[in-house]
Amino acid sequence: MNPKALYALSYGLYIVASKKGERINGQTANTVFQISNNPSTIAIGVNKSNLTREFIQESRRFTVSVLAQDAPLSLIGQFGFKSGREVDKFARYTHKTTANGLPYLIDHTLTFFEARVMQEVDAGTHIIFIGEIAEAEVLQEGAPMTYAYYQQVKRGGAPPAAIATGSK
Amino acid sequence: MNPKALYALSYGLYIVASKKGERINGQTANTVFQISNNPSTIAIGVNKSNLTREFIQESRRFTVSVLAQDAPLSLIGQFGFKSGREVDKFARYTHKTTANGLPYLIDHTLTFFEARVMQEVDAGTHIIFIGEIAEAEVLQEGAPMTYAYYQQVKRGGAPPAAIATGSK
């Protein structure tokens, strides 16, 4: 078996966020994919050790901010390499909240959406949350950040728990 | 709600395949994601109406062939717009089978892997299969086909059921 075979899979790069009471938090994620239309459902993979996982299980909702290709490494580092247990990750970046009070990024963000959790699946180190889209808006046109672009052009590293394919 | 917000998500383009008895079949898919390491687990989304879904539920295994960027529209059309109920999709293309007898493509393929189904999740129109990697090999180096490249450069359309984000 050659584990590099899995490196050829393509991903985007996103900020997945949620809230618990008055606290908000978010993290980088590469596993965000649409499952079906009518209704529109989305699946995301979140490491069990992450605070955002706890917030999603509490609020039963999450947002996804789709990063633009021009998102700086500092932003990805803020959300990917730091823990919401120690810093308020959103404090440094322009953000808004949905009608349900969940945060999403404005800076370097193409689109965002909020989903209501319909199912969660225990997949070992990660939870897969399957949600139905409740709100979705386009903020600006542009090329989305991909995980390949982040690695090859931006020379970014992989946060050990924030990105599902953490060994890359 | 603006459904275009979901169009900014990034995907690769793959052939997901399986077998039932002596029959083999495969289909295009864009929802293939690594979920965890140790063990390496993969999630795929497959439309319930597709023959490959039936084959995966029978054999409890599936392969993923990661398409190269130079994969022609004719290959994607063969696996994305035709049904294995009517044609032998693999007949026209060089392919091999894994130790368990599951087919994978050789033509225009960067890497392939086989997974054993550990969980399946009913997600409305689609099933999400979560599998553990059993075999994985690199066939050639190169840029992977992305769904964005397929749409923008190759001007390809979306098979109604083969690709999870079928409305695009």
Side-chain angles (χ1 to χ4, degrees), chain B residues 48-144:
Chain B
K48 286 182 184 175
S49 67
N50 288 356
L51 188 64
T52 304
R53 185 271 311 154
E54 181 186 325
F55 282 23
I56 296 172
Q57 288 180 319
E58 175 76 17
S59 69
R60 311 305 297 165
R61 288 177 182 270
F62 59 87
T63 61
V64 174
S65 303
V66 178
L67 294 179
Q69 201 177 67
D70 67 2
L73 274 180
S74 56
L75 184 156
I76 297 165
Q78 172 81 348
F79 283 92
F81 290 90
K82 295 185 178 176
S83 171
R85 296 184 180 93
E86 283 139 33
V87 294
D88 176 359
K89 296 190 193 181
F90 278 100
R92 284 168 51 186
Y93 295 97
T94 308
H95 61 279
K96 291 186 179 176
T97 53
T98 64
N100 291 302
L102 274 74
Y104 61 92
L105 273 184
I106 300 294
D107 288 346
H108 307 289
T109 297
L110 298 184
T111 76
F112 79 92
F113 47 86
E114 182 191 285
R116 181 178 58 83
V117 174
M118 304 171 71
Q119 291 187 70
E120 61 176 88
V121 182
D122 188 325
T125 54
H126 287 67
I127 302 274
I128 299 175
F129 292 102
I130 301 168
E132 184 174 337
I133 299 296
E135 189 175 335
E137 298 302 337
V138 174
L139 300 177
Q140 59 171 312
E141 300 293 323

Side-chain angles (χ1 to χ4, degrees), chain A residues 34-90:
Chain A
Q34 187 170 359
I35 295 298
S36 66
N37 287 294
N38 303 314
S40 287
T41 58
I42 290 284
I44 62 170
V46 180
N47 194 296
K48 287 181 182 174
S49 68
N50 288 357
L51 188 65
T52 303
R53 185 270 311 153
E54 183 187 324
F55 282 22
I56 296 172
Q57 288 180 320
E58 174 77 17
S59 69
R60 312 304 297 166
R61 290 176 181 270
F62 60 87
T63 60
V64 174
S65 302
V66 177
L67 294 179
Q69 200 178 65
D70 67 4
L73 274 180
S74 57
L75 183 156
I76 296 165
Q78 172 81 349
F79 283 92
F81 290 91
K82 295 186 179 173
S83 171
R85 297 184 180 92
E86 284 139 33
V87 295
D88 176 359
K89 297 191 193 180
F90 277 101

Side-chain angles (χ1 to χ4, degrees), chain A residues 1-14 30-38 40-45 64 66 110-113 119 121-128 130 133-138 144-146 164-168, chain B residues 1-14 30-38 40-45 64 66 110-113 119 121-128 130 133-138 144-146 164-168:
Chain A
M1 182 183 330
N2 185 346
K4 288 186 179 171
L6 301 178
Y7 295 2
L9 297 175
S10 298
Y11 301 93
L13 203 52
Y14 313 100
N30 63 338
T31 48
V32 175
F33 46 111
Q34 187 170 359
I35 295 298
S36 66
N37 287 294
N38 303 314
S40 287
T41 58
I42 290 284
I44 62 170
V64 174
V66 177
L110 299 182
T111 75
F112 79 93
F113 47 86
Q119 290 187 70
V121 182
D122 188 325
T125 54
H126 287 67
I127 303 273
I128 299 175
I130 301 168
I133 299 295
E135 189 173 337
E137 298 302 338
V138 174
M145 174 74 86
T146 64
T165 50
S167 71
K168 291 172 71 175
Chain B
M1 185 187 324
N2 184 346
K4 288 186 178 172
L6 301 178
Y7 295 2
L9 297 175
S10 297
Y11 301 93
L13 203 52
Y14 313 100
N30 62 338
T31 48
V32 176
F33 289 80
Q34 186 169 359
I35 295 299
S36 66
N37 287 294
N38 302 315
S40 287
T41 58
I42 290 285
I44 62 171
V64 174
V66 178
L110 298 184
T111 76
F112 79 92
F113 47 86
Q119 291 187 70
V121 182
D122 188 325
T125 54
H126 287 67
I127 302 274
I128 299 175
I130 301 168
I133 299 296
E135 189 175 335
E137 298 302 337
V138 174
M145 175 74 86
T146 64
T165 49
S167 70
K168 290 173 72 176

